[in-house]
């Protein structure tokens, strides 16, 4: 299972990259609270279970805390509100006492803290699901199960046609949206491209699920490829937390870097 070092370095590395690319809109306060929740956040349940192990009367309570808090979604739902208030006050105190530069001259608000807390929780389990239990975690086993078959999985013609059409639509749609002389801003085109990707991804997942779970007898969706599990896992635990980090950014550039390129 990944330890504190791996969680912290992964989250801080992502945070520093976003801080650089965003020109300070994702600042040191963002990095600190995102990394803190990726490192310690859901492991508060593990810590409570460890404390409960020293007293037999508290063992069941510690185990319950582990089950409830050490979870990618229960952690922000149960502790998100009080911790968001705490982080917002801490951000203001760090700024007021000159301990940590926020790069925007304003502390984080409660909503930003809640978003960063949720992003940190998901990033925590991005590593946990991949590298705990010697690769036999429930999530990782499910990912592989969407593409593994006891015998050699055939590549069915209907799968080739459906996947080929979807991938062709994705490439063609992207080129069409970003064609020359559209007159639209890059922001609008990027939003349209994102909606296209999400639409094709939804159709792709529906196709895979229909072949694996709804068809009787089931058949491989795309040969031995575990695309359904990979797409869902990466969407929830990789892209979503990074999107949440972007959502938590401040609205204005840091004045010292507003006229500089991000590289």
């Amino acid at each position: 299972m990944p330890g504190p070092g791996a969680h912290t370095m992964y989250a801080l590395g992502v945070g520093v990259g976003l801080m650089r690319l965003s020109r300070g809109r994702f600042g040191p306060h963002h990095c600190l609270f995102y990394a803190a929740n990726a490192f310690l956040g859901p492991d508060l349940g593990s810590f409570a279970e460890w404390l409960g192990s020293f007293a037999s009367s508290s063992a069941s309570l510690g185990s319950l805390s582990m089950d409830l808090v050490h979870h990618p979604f229960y952690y922000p739902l149960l502790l998100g509100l009080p911790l968001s208030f705490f982080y917002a006050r801490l951000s203001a105190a760090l700024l007021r006492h000159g301990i940590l530069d926020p790069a925007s001259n304003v502390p984080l608000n409660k909503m930003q803290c809640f978003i960063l807390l949720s992003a940190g929780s998901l990033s925590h389990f991005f590593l946990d699901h991949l590298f705990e239990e010697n690769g036999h975690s429930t999530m990782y086993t499910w990912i592989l199960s969407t593409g593994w078959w006891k015998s050699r999985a055939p590549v069915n013609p209907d799968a080739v046609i459906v996947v080929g059409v979807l991938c062709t639509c994705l490439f063609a749609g992207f080129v069409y949206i970003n064609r020359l002389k559209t007159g639209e801003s890059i922001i609008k085109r990027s939003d349209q491209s994102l909606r296209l990707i999400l639409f094709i991804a939804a159709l792709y997942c529906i196709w895979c699920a229909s072949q694996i779970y709804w068809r009787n007898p089931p058949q491989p969706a795309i040969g031995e490829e575990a695309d359904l599990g990979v797409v869902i896992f990466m969407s929830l635990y990789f892209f979503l937390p990074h999107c949440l980090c972007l959502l938590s950014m401040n609205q204005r550039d840091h004045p010292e870097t507003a006229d500089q390129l991000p590289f």
Side-chain angles (χ1 to χ4, degrees), residues 111-166:
M111 180 56 70
Q112 287 175 302
C113 292
F114 180 79
I115 293 173
L116 290 169
L117 181 146
S118 302
S121 177
L122 292 172
S123 292
H124 178 94
F125 283 94
F126 173 72
L127 296 184
D128 272 10
H129 284 322
L130 290 178
F131 301 112
E132 68 178 355
E133 300 178 18
N134 294 324
H136 297 289
S137 66
T138 303
M139 174 60 72
Y140 194 62
T141 302
W142 174 77
I143 293 172
L144 297 180
S145 74
T146 63
W148 181 84
W149 298 80
K150 292 183 179 180
S151 58
R152 184 174 180 83
V155 180
N156 300 308
D158 54 348
V160 175
I161 294 173
V162 171
V163 174
V165 168
L166 290 177

Side-chain angles (χ1 to χ4, degrees), residues 37 73-88 110-111 113-115 117-118:
N37 285 281
F73 304 109
Y74 291 165
Y75 169 66
L77 288 176
L78 294 175
L79 298 180
L81 186 61
L83 287 178
S84 296
F85 277 83
F86 169 73
Y87 288 135
K110 300 177 186 66
M111 180 56 70
C113 292
F114 180 79
I115 293 173
L117 181 146
S118 302

Side-chain angles (χ1 to χ4, degrees), residues 8-216:
T8 304
M9 286 184 281
Y10 170 70
L12 272 182
V14 170
V16 170
L18 289 174
M19 185 165 59
R20 174 66 170 168
L21 292 173
S22 67
R23 302 175 181 178
R25 291 175 60 196
F26 191 91
H29 285 215
H30 293 80
C31 290
L32 178 64
F33 297 143
Y34 170 57
N37 285 281
F39 153 55
L40 182 61
D43 277 346
L44 288 173
S46 304
F47 184 67
E49 185 180 40
W50 176 74
L51 289 178
S53 65
F54 290 99
S56 57
S57 59
S58 304
S60 59
L61 181 60
S63 179
L64 178 62
S65 300
M66 173 64 177
D67 293 337
L68 292 178
V69 178
H70 194 260
H71 190 279
F73 304 109
Y74 291 165
Y75 169 66
L77 288 176
L78 294 175
L79 298 180
L81 186 61
L83 287 178
S84 296
F85 277 83
F86 169 73
Y87 288 135
R89 286 182 173 272
L90 180 59
S91 177
L94 292 174
L95 173 61
R96 184 169 58 253
H97 296 290
I99 298 175
L100 185 64
D101 178 19
S104 60
N105 297 321
V106 292
L108 299 180
N109 59 43
K110 300 177 186 66
M111 180 56 70
Q112 287 175 302
C113 292
F114 180 79
I115 293 173
L116 290 169
L117 181 146
S118 302
S121 177
L122 292 172
S123 292
H124 178 94
F125 283 94
F126 173 72
L127 296 184
D128 272 10
H129 284 322
L130 290 178
F131 301 112
E132 68 178 355
E133 300 178 18
N134 294 324
H136 297 289
S137 66
T138 303
M139 174 60 72
Y140 194 62
T141 302
W142 174 77
I143 293 172
L144 297 180
S145 74
T146 63
W148 181 84
W149 298 80
K150 292 183 179 180
S151 58
R152 184 174 180 83
V155 180
N156 300 308
D158 54 348
V160 175
I161 294 173
V162 171
V163 174
V165 168
L166 290 177
C167 291
T168 300
C169 290
L170 182 58
F171 279 109
F174 179 81
V175 172
Y176 177 78
I177 291 171
N178 295 279
R179 66 192 183 280
L180 197 61
K181 298 180 180 179
T182 60
E184 296 179 344
S185 68
I186 189 65
I187 300 298
K188 185 174 182 179
R189 282 182 282 157
S190 63
D191 290 342
Q192 292 174 342
S193 299
L194 178 60
R195 286 194 289 269
L196 172 67
I197 294 170
L198 293 175
F199 178 70
I200 296 297
L203 294 179
Y204 198 86
C205 289
I206 290 173
W207 161 258
C208 293
S210 68
Q211 300 303 296
I212 299 172
Y213 300 113
W214 303 338
R215 189 183 180 101
N216 190 19

